[in-house]
Amino acid sequence: MSAVYDCSRPESRAEGLAAAASAVRSSRLVVLPTDTVYGIGADAFDAGAVRSLLRAKHRGPDMPVGVLVGSWSTVDGLVLGMPPQARALVEAFWPGDLSLVLPHAPSLQWDLGSTRGTVMLRMPLHPVALELLREVGPMAVSSANVSGQPPASTAQEAQDQLGDSVSVYLDGGPSGDPVPSTIVDLTGSEPLLLREGAVSAAAVSEVLGVPVTAPS
C-alpha cells in the first residue's frame, strides 16, 4: 500500500521526507516533485531498484534513466572529468532545467540501462527534491508516468498511472507547465543539443561561447 504525504504542511513534509528516504534505502520507489514534472526515483547505485523503476514505467534498458543530484560537488565523484564547458553550464543553470550528458566514472557500480558509459545529470530547482537528494545521495529519476502516457504534473496523476509500484508519493502541488529539461551532450569534441526544453539553445550557446547544434 502506497503512502502519500502533503509537502505543503511542515509536519507532513518532514514525515514524508523521512519515509521517502527510508524507502530509497530499502530498494523501493518514490515519486517526488521536481521543477519540471513529477519524477519516479530510486537509489542510483541499486541496480535492482532501477530495474523496478523501469518495470513500473513499462520501459526497457534501451531508454536509460538519468540521475538527479543535490549539490554541484556531488558530480565530481560521478563523472570521468568535469570539462570547463560542463562547469560553465552548471554555474549558469544549476539548480534548474538543464541536463548534462557526461562520461561516468568507470569505478561506479551502477546499472542505469544502456548508457554506453555515459550518465545524464541534473540538479533540480525544487526544495523537496533537493532535501531528499541531500539526505540519500544521487537518485535515478525518470518522469513519473507509464511510457507512452503524459508525464505527471501532480502527485495524483502519478499515482493514477503508477499505483502501488511506488511506496511513497511526495505531493508538492502542481508542477506547472510540463516542460522537460534541456539536454546537452558533452561527451564528444563539440557540445550537442539532444533536446531543447526549458533552457533555450540560444542561452546554452551564449554561456559556452559557441553555437550548440542538434545531432545530424
Side-chain angles (χ1 to χ4, degrees):
M1 185 72 179
S2 303
V4 182
Y5 296 90
D6 179 1
C7 293
S8 67
R9 297 167 49 234
E11 64 277 11
S12 180
R13 172 173 166 164
E15 187 180 354
L17 283 164
S22 176
V24 171
R25 294 186 180 113
S26 301
S27 303
R28 291 177 285 142
L29 305 179
V30 303
V31 158
L32 63 155
T34 78
D35 47 345
T36 54
V37 294
Y38 272 74
I40 176 174
D43 181 349
F45 300 102
D46 187 328
V50 175
R51 286 194 293 271
S52 294
L53 187 159
L54 291 172
R55 282 196 301 272
K57 286 179 61 74
H58 302 176
R59 179 164 136 180
D62 56 310
M63 298 177 67
V65 185
V67 172
L68 295 187
V69 297
S71 68
W72 294 6
S73 59
T74 305
V75 175
D76 289 317
L78 302 179
V79 299
L80 195 55
M82 275 288 279
Q85 289 180 323
R87 292 202 182 275
L89 292 174
V90 163
E91 290 173 5
F93 299 113
W94 280 18
D97 302 338
L98 184 78
S99 298
L100 299 178
V101 179
L102 292 162
H104 74 68
S107 59
L108 293 181
Q109 298 298 310
W110 60 10
D111 182 3
L112 302 169
S114 304
T115 63
R116 298 178 178 84
T118 67
V119 62
M120 184 172 72
L121 298 167
R122 188 167 83 86
M123 181 180 175
L125 181 58
H126 194 288
V128 174
L130 287 173
E131 193 166 343
L132 179 59
L133 290 163
R134 287 166 181 166
E135 177 65 25
V136 301
M139 290 180 63
V141 178
S142 182
S143 56
N145 62 295
V146 172
S147 287
Q149 298 299 312
S153 59
T154 67
Q156 184 61 59
E157 289 177 3
Q159 192 173 16
D160 289 343
Q161 295 193 51
L162 299 169
D164 287 341
S165 63
V166 171
S167 293
V168 174
Y169 289 84
L170 298 178
D171 187 348
S175 65
D177 294 333
V179 180
S181 66
T182 296
I183 303 175
V184 178
D185 184 342
L186 296 175
T187 60
S189 57
E190 300 293 335
L192 290 177
L193 184 70
L194 301 185
R195 180 176 73 194
E196 185 171 14
V199 177
S200 70
V204 174
S205 298
E206 183 178 357
V207 169
L208 295 181
V210 295
V212 178
T213 58
S216 55

